[in-house]
Amino acid sequence: MVNHMEVYEGKAKRIIPLDGEKAIMEFKDDATAFDGGKKAKFKGKGWLNAQISAHLFRVLEEKGIKTHFIGVAGDNRLIVERLEMYPLEVVVRNVVAGSLKKRLPLDEGTELKEPIVELYYKDDSLHDPMINHYHARVLGIGEAELREIERIALKVNDILREYFRERGIILVDFKLEFGKNSRGEIVLGDEISPDTCRFWDAKTKESLDKDVFRFDRGDLMKAYGELYRRFSP
Ligand code: 5GP
């Protein structure tokens, strides 16, 4: 939670508070999967994820989404607005993959009739359990805030799905995190990168995301680099 002046050290990022309402979000080269059970370092991953996140935040801002992104502050660093984060991971899904296969009797790759939004309580010691609105309200998150968070998540999905479709990529699913700024506004925080999204090449269905690392599907940096290349003119 970025609501004081301590450096916050995450698995793949570091948040360094600055004076005022700003912070630096530093992307590390570390990759972790399966609750930290699998770890590795990929030189250049932090740089790529910072560039990809910055780019996607700009795309969203242009379409009217409030994000914490302020600017790029060097190779693997972004300047962001400081937020008091909700302890939530908000997952949006368009295509069956990952943990959804344990919940619904649908095959991997099946396109969903409508997007699914899921809430998870962000807590490593509980292994980020899936929760519903009742659980979230008990945690102190109001119903109106939950509905607003889900509305923004679905709008982000509409924008990014179209953006990637135009670039030959299927946005399978992704995870967002939200916080409140000093004016009490709900703002999209964290990152949007191949660490937090599933991207499939529309033709080959090849993964261009962290599944390459999770399931040893080849060269992670090549996959992330290919994703980044698709944004370039
Ligand atoms: P799943 O629930 O299928 O494992 O994940 C759904 C989507 O959310 C995937 O795109 C995955 O990368 C992202 N996601 C879910 N939980 C986490 C998390 O704790 N960390 C990261 N980096 N991504 C997550």
Side-chain angles (χ1 to χ4, degrees):
M1 205 177 290
V2 190
N3 58 355
H4 45 67
M5 291 307 282
E6 274 170 39
V7 171
Y8 167 80
E9 185 85 38
K11 290 191 279 275
K13 292 192 298 295
R14 187 175 291 128
I15 313 286
I16 306 152
L18 301 173
D19 287 341
E21 306 295 331
K22 293 180 187 169
I24 283 181
M25 178 175 268
E26 187 175 88
F27 289 70
K28 304 197 265 188
D29 285 344
D30 303 71
T32 64
F34 308 119
D35 250 347
K38 185 170 179 178
K39 288 184 194 161
K41 254 185 203 286
F42 296 92
K43 194 167 172 1
K45 180 174 89 74
W47 179 82
L48 263 177
N49 277 356
Q51 307 311 309
I52 292 169
S53 278
H55 183 85
L56 295 177
F57 280 132
R58 284 194 192 104
V59 168
L60 292 173
E61 287 274 351
E62 270 173 31
K63 300 275 184 186
I65 302 287
K66 278 197 193 85
T67 81
H68 69 157
F69 176 71
I70 296 172
V72 177
D75 278 353
N76 58 343
R77 292 176 153 204
L78 306 184
I79 300 177
V80 297
E81 184 178 22
R82 280 170 70 186
L83 303 175
E84 184 161 352
M85 298 303 289
Y86 291 98
L88 293 177
E89 297 192 343
V90 182
V91 169
V92 183
R93 302 178 184 274
N94 298 306
V95 175
V96 177
S99 70
L100 186 61
K101 286 179 288 184
K102 295 189 230 155
R103 251 178 262 292
L104 296 180
L106 298 172
D107 292 330
E108 168 123 350
T110 309
E111 190 169 344
L112 297 167
K113 274 190 284 195
E114 56 178 296
I116 291 177
V117 181
E118 296 170 346
L119 301 177
Y120 293 82
Y121 176 48
K122 191 176 160 80
D123 185 320
D124 281 342
S125 68
L126 293 175
H127 312 292
D128 298 346
M130 188 157 107
I131 60 169
N132 62 31
H133 283 214
Y134 288 86
H135 300 98
R137 287 200 302 271
V138 167
L139 291 174
I141 309 169
E143 186 61 27
E145 287 171 288
L146 291 167
R147 290 194 189 282
E148 177 64 0
I149 285 169
E150 289 175 342
R151 187 191 67 78
I152 301 169
L154 284 169
K155 196 166 169 217
V156 168
N157 185 47
D158 285 346
I159 296 165
L160 292 186
R161 205 177 178 186
E162 179 62 19
Y163 183 81
F164 282 105
R165 190 183 2 243
E166 288 167 356
R167 286 157 181 81
I169 291 166
I170 300 167
L171 177 59
V172 173
D173 55 34
F174 56 95
K175 184 260 300 177
L176 301 176
E177 296 185 23
F178 291 87
K180 248 186 194 172
N181 66 13
S182 59
R183 295 182 297 286
E185 296 168 321
I186 296 177
V187 175
L188 178 60
D190 197 51
E191 65 179 294
I192 310 176
S193 76
D195 271 13
T196 59
C197 307
R198 283 196 174 92
F199 299 112
W200 291 354
D201 181 280
K203 279 208 197 97
T204 65
K205 303 290 191 293
E206 241 178 306
S207 293
L208 300 174
D209 57 57
K210 201 161 93 172
D211 276 353
V212 172
F213 169 65
R214 290 188 186 103
F215 306 112
D216 300 316
R217 290 195 187 143
D219 183 339
L220 181 104
M221 290 307 293
K222 206 170 145 218
Y224 282 30
E226 172 58 20
L227 183 84
Y228 185 49
R229 196 188 61 76
R230 304 272 181 113
F231 304 153
S232 319

